[in-house]
Amino acid sequence: VKRILVLGLVMFFLCSLCLRAEAKVIKLSYANFPPASTFPCVQMERFKQEVEKRTNGQVIIQTYPGGTLLGAKNMFRGVIAGQADIGCLVMSYQPGVFPLTTVCELPLGFKSAKVASMVLWEIFQKYHPKEFARVKVLTVFTSAPSNLMSKKPIKSLKDLKGVPIRAAGAAGKIVEILGGAPIALPMSETPEAIQKGVAKGLLTSFEVLKDLNFAAYLPYGTITNFQVYPFAVVMNKDKWNSLPERIKKVFNELGKEQALWTGRYMDNHIQEALGYAKKKYGFKLFTLPQQDMDLAREKLKILIDNWKKRAETKGLPAEKILQDVYKFKAKYEQ
Ligand code: 3IO
């Protein structure tokens, strides 16, 4: 009898310990707009795994790819309102909302997602952009430099004239300046536009040839390396403030590492996607003639001037920010 009593007591304590641990599990929702196969969602799953591992399961993240919780255009507002705890947004989808950090979507000659992601990270650390004051920024990253994918070959700027090309934010301006007809849709609405033939091309990083199977519709590519699309992963501020310090520490330590991981994943994945597109669909790559590249660079300078003017009207030290971008870029390119 005594033994049974002791055993019962031990079990009671074990159970109550378990229950208490259970009660302390923090569940967070993480919203993303594009399909699960795409790089923003691949990095989301990696982020989830790292957080769960590093908090010993104290934090559980439920992921919602494909716009099932929040869409591309209401991501920022949705997280601020608390509809999702965490959300992944593209700054280019909401022109005017991010006057400082869109410095990183200017055609500044980034050659990799890794370098551009690190530069974006450093700019956040140095300037604490006011436009993100209402959320906690968990990590940032960018796509790889944008290239053209099209139904018909684009071998010169002349071939681009009047062609409807899906491109958002600064990328849309680039298409416009170079004589194309930009269609400003987020990536989540792009498959339909391509399949219906509303858009006859796309200006973004090449990995979507595989991840969204665009190679089936767009068998031609043109290397331009114009700009990158900057992303931010943000958390609802009240939710952030409610987290225990040791959990906050896990997130804070993960931010830069996650940016680097995503940049690297993107750069490697581009090569894989190009191989897939070539093998499966005979995807063909072109480069623009040097004189067209020079002309494009000359024409696109106005975007940098325009960004500076807009940033200055917002009271930002535009020239200093731009010089820092160049400085960080040189640092990480080494
Ligand atoms: C992108 C966005 C969602 C899924 C895959 C992607 N590859 C590149 C981007 C960049 C972007 O935001 C865009 O609209 O081209």
Side-chain angles (χ1 to χ4, degrees):
V1 174
K2 207 170 145 196
R3 259 198 209 161
I4 288 172
L5 267 174
V6 169
L7 198 70
L9 258 164
V10 167
M11 279 178 69
F12 172 79
F13 277 117
L14 278 176
C15 283
S16 59
L17 265 176
C18 283
L19 283 174
R20 213 179 313 153
E22 175 95 66
K24 270 197 293 187
V25 168
I26 298 162
K27 289 199 175 137
L28 300 172
S29 58
Y30 186 155
N32 217 332
F33 64 95
S37 58
T38 60
F39 92 100
C41 290
V42 172
Q43 73 77 37
M44 168 170 76
E45 294 304 326
R46 191 266 175 179
F47 187 84
K48 164 196 160 80
Q49 276 176 9
E50 287 302 315
V51 170
E52 291 178 355
K53 194 169 78 192
R54 293 175 191 200
T55 60
N56 296 314
Q58 276 247 311
V59 173
I60 299 285
I61 296 179
Q62 171 91 45
T63 58
Y64 295 87
T68 45
L69 184 57
L70 288 170
K73 293 206 174 193
N74 63 359
M75 190 61 71
F76 196 38
R77 267 174 286 144
V79 170
I80 290 169
Q83 290 171 285
D85 298 319
I86 303 172
C88 175
L89 65 89
V90 179
M91 295 162 212
S92 318
Y93 294 169
Q94 290 176 279
V97 176
F98 305 105
L100 196 163
T101 51
T102 43
V103 69
C104 285
E105 61 160 9
L106 295 173
L108 303 173
F110 284 115
K111 293 187 206 76
S112 70
K114 186 189 127 184
V115 170
S117 297
M118 286 297 98
V119 171
L120 183 61
W121 174 264
E122 296 289 358
I123 289 298
F124 266 87
Q125 302 314 302
K126 178 148 186 187
Y127 290 99
H128 304 286
K130 230 175 42 202
E131 59 231 45
F132 284 94
R134 283 184 295 171
V135 293
K136 164 69 183 177
V137 178
L138 297 178
T139 191
V140 298
F141 54 85
T142 75
S143 60
S146 287
N147 295 304
L148 288 164
M149 288 153 259
S150 52
K151 267 192 193 312
K152 297 199 177 138
I154 298 175
K155 298 187 204 172
S156 69
L157 286 180
K158 217 177 74 214
D159 292 340
L160 183 62
K161 284 272 173 292
V163 181
I165 302 280
R166 197 299 316 198
K173 299 253 174 61
I174 289 172
V175 169
E176 190 183 329
I177 289 170
L178 299 181
I183 301 178
L185 291 172
M187 188 60 87
S188 34
E189 290 169 41
T190 301
E192 198 186 329
I194 299 278
Q195 281 156 28
K196 286 189 174 164
V198 174
K200 303 216 183 299
L202 180 63
L203 179 60
T204 189
S205 45
F206 276 143
E207 94 293 347
V208 287
L209 288 168
K210 180 172 190 225
D211 296 346
L212 293 169
N213 210 33
F214 286 158
Y217 301 87
L218 309 171
Y220 300 103
T222 309
I223 295 175
T224 53
N225 288 332
F226 283 141
Q227 45 55 259
V228 299
Y229 288 87
F231 289 67
V233 177
V234 298
M235 187 188 276
N236 175 277
K237 201 70 175 270
D238 291 336
K239 183 59 78 167
W240 173 256
N241 289 332
S242 78
L243 296 176
E245 282 311 313
R246 64 180 187 288
I247 303 288
K248 284 182 179 167
K249 191 159 168 270
V250 169
F251 279 110
N252 283 333
E253 284 171 359
L254 183 55
K256 186 176 184 183
E257 193 198 305
Q258 178 73 16
L260 187 61
W261 186 93
T262 306
R264 283 197 177 126
Y265 167 79
M266 173 53 119
D267 292 329
N268 291 330
H269 193 52
I270 295 268
Q271 297 312 316
E272 194 191 326
L274 281 172
Y276 164 92
K278 193 174 166 204
K279 198 164 160 223
K280 186 147 185 212
Y281 298 102
F283 185 76
K284 239 180 112 89
L285 261 183
F286 302 104
T287 50
L288 292 177
Q290 191 56 46
Q291 67 186 48
D292 277 20
M293 281 308 286
D294 294 343
L295 182 64
R297 191 170 311 120
E298 207 45 50
K299 282 186 166 182
L300 296 180
K301 276 186 184 154
I302 189 150
L303 289 176
I304 301 171
D305 295 338
N306 288 349
W307 176 84
K308 265 204 246 176
K309 275 185 215 145
R310 245 179 301 127
E312 273 161 10
T313 63
K314 298 264 179 183
L316 295 167
E319 186 55 36
K320 189 163 158 274
I321 295 167
L322 202 56
Q323 289 314 312
D324 272 328
V325 168
Y326 284 123
K327 204 183 74 193
F328 290 131
K329 179 171 171 283
K331 179 185 152 189
Y332 283 102
E333 274 172 356
Q334 283 185 353

